[in-house]
Amino acid sequence: MPNLRSGLRRRDGSMRAHDALPPPLRLWLCAAALPWSPRSALKLWTRAMAETGDLAEARARLDRAEARTLARDARRIWGQDHPATRLAKENPRQGDRRG
């Protein structure tokens, strides 16, 4: 079940946009912890595929971006001392960029 308190929100027409996504990205979104918009997910996916051409690396980048967002949301919802905030504190820009 997606985290509906997240800063990520779905918009109108998201089902049609979701259906137009590349199959590996749709598969990743099915297991995502957050309600990613097709537009946001496709932006990260497209950048990762353009830079690396590697499906595994594209999925890893999405995983890191989601972990960073979850850490930021945990800080906002449960406070600075929540264990899940560690990722956001250690590496605030990790996720959608290389290295």
Side-chain angles (χ1 to χ4, degrees):
M1 179 172 192
N3 179 351
L4 298 178
R5 291 188 66 183
S6 168
L8 298 174
R9 298 285 181 237
R10 293 191 187 265
R11 293 192 171 107
D12 291 335
S14 65
M15 200 59 180
R16 184 175 304 135
H18 179 274
D19 291 344
L21 295 173
L25 177 55
R26 286 196 321 259
L27 185 61
W28 184 87
L29 286 169
C30 288
L34 295 172
W36 287 87
S37 73
R39 181 179 174 193
S40 297
L42 184 59
K43 182 178 177 181
L44 289 172
W45 179 264
T46 301
R47 183 183 307 148
M49 290 302 294
E51 291 176 1
T52 70
D54 183 347
L55 291 174
E57 177 58 25
R59 285 189 295 264
R61 287 186 186 196
L62 287 165
D63 288 341
R64 289 189 304 265
E66 183 167 65
R68 189 181 69 243
T69 301
L70 286 168
R72 199 170 45 238
D73 286 349
R75 182 176 53 223
R76 183 175 52 83
I77 295 167
W78 295 295
Q80 287 289 113
D81 296 327
H82 191 276
T85 65
R86 181 184 55 79
L87 180 62
K89 289 176 189 173
E90 290 176 359
N91 209 341
R93 294 298 302 160
Q94 181 183 357
D96 58 342
R97 299 184 187 241
R98 285 176 76 171

